[in-house]
Amino acid sequence: MNHLDLSKRLAAVGDFVPDAARLADIGSDHAYLPVALMLKGKIDYAVAGEVVKGPFESAQKQVKKDGLEDRIIVRLANGLDAIEKTDEINAITIAGMGGALIRDILEAGKENQRLNGNERLILQPNIGEQTLRKWLWQNQYEIIAETILEENKKIYEIIVAEKTEKVVEYSEIELLFGPFLLEEKSEVFQTKWARELHQKKLILKQLEQAANQKERSERIQKEINLIQEVLQP
C-alpha cells in the first residue's frame, strides 16, 4: 500500500478526523493513516501507538522515510498508554480490531486517565459493533456519525462518538444496528444483515436438532425476528 493511497476502509476513517487535529492512532501498524493525513495537511500532530515491536518498528521506518519524526511520534505502548498529557490529543482512531478489544482499550484508557473527554473517537471494529456501542452509551458518549462500507468482499462499520453532558439513550435495535445506519439502511447495510440473517437461520436449524439448547434457540430466534423487522421494505 502506498502511504498516500489508503485503503477504502482507512480513508473512510480518516474522513472523520477533524481538520488540524492532534491525533492518536492506536494500533497504527505502518502508521499509514497518520502519515497520509499529515502529508495531506489535515492534521497538525500525531501519536502512532503500537503494542507489538514489529509493527512499531515498521511505523518508525515509515515516519522517518517521510521526514515526519518531529510531527508524528511513534510509541511502543499498550492501547491508550501511548498518549501523554502533553500531546493534547483531540482525536483518537482505533481501527481493524474486534469491538470487544476496542472497548477494553477504551475502558483501560478511562481507568488510567488517558481519556480527557475532549477527544473525538473514530472507531472501526471488524466485529462486535453492538458491544462497542453499549460501552459508548454507558460512558456518556454520543454517536455523532456512522458509515458502513464494503471492501474486498468484507463489510466494515465506522462509529464516531464524542463525550456529551446530555443523557444518551439508545434502544436495543439502535445498539445492534447503529442509529445512523438504521436510519439510512444503505445497500451495504442490507447486504450485511441479509448475510447475518442467513447465518442465524442456519444456526437455529442446527440448534433445533440438538438437546438442551432451548434458551440459545430462543435468543437466536429473537435476533432473527429483529433482523427481519429491520430488513422489511
Side-chain angles (χ1 to χ4, degrees), residues 103-121:
R103 174 204 62 198
D104 292 347
I105 288 170
L106 293 172
E107 182 63 28
K110 184 184 81 168
E111 290 175 2
N112 296 335
Q113 298 183 319
R114 303 289 173 159
L115 286 172
N116 60 34
N118 297 320
E119 313 93 342
R120 172 178 290 187
L121 304 180

Side-chain angles (χ1 to χ4, degrees), residues 43 69 84 113 115 127 129 224 232:
I43 59 174
E69 300 101 314
E84 297 176 1
Q113 298 183 319
L115 286 172
I127 56 170
E129 298 87 358
I224 287 171
Q232 70 183 9

Side-chain angles (χ1 to χ4, degrees), residues 71-208:
R71 300 177 72 190
I72 299 177
I73 310 302
V74 184
R75 293 196 183 119
L76 185 65
N78 188 10
L80 299 185
D81 285 347
I83 298 172
E84 297 176 1
K85 280 187 180 179
T86 52
D87 295 323
E88 298 180 337
I89 295 300
N90 60 10
I92 295 173
T93 49
I94 311 177
M97 306 179 199
L101 178 55
I102 296 175
R103 174 204 62 198
D104 292 347
I105 288 170
L106 293 172
E107 182 63 28
K110 184 184 81 168
E111 290 175 2
N112 296 335
Q113 298 183 319
R114 303 289 173 159
L115 286 172
N116 60 34
N118 297 320
E119 313 93 342
R120 172 178 290 187
L121 304 180
I122 304 123
L123 313 170
Q124 183 270 297
N126 289 342
I127 56 170
E129 298 87 358
Q130 182 182 20
T131 297
L132 190 51
R133 288 191 188 97
K134 278 185 178 177
W135 186 91
L136 294 169
W137 164 56
Q138 290 165 350
N139 287 274
Q140 221 173 335
Y141 281 86
E142 180 182 13
I143 297 170
I144 62 165
E146 292 176 305
T147 194
I148 187 167
L149 60 102
E150 186 167 9
E151 183 176 32
N152 299 327
K153 298 183 179 178
K154 291 185 179 178
I155 293 178
Y156 303 101
E157 293 184 16
I158 299 169
I159 303 166
V160 187
E162 292 178 354
K163 194 85 167 174
T164 181
E165 293 296 320
K166 65 184 182 184
V167 177
V168 179
E169 290 184 8
Y170 295 112
S171 67
E172 182 184 6
I173 289 180
E174 286 175 324
L175 291 172
L176 178 59
F177 296 97
F180 287 89
L181 303 182
L182 189 61
E183 189 74 26
E184 293 162 8
K185 289 187 184 175
S186 69
E187 190 176 329
V188 179
F189 174 90
Q190 292 182 57
T191 298
K192 171 180 176 168
W193 288 105
R195 288 178 190 172
E196 291 280 342
L197 181 60
H198 177 69
Q199 287 298 320
K200 289 186 186 298
K201 283 182 175 179
L202 290 177
I203 292 167
L204 184 62
K205 196 172 182 180
Q206 292 170 348
L207 290 175
E208 285 171 345

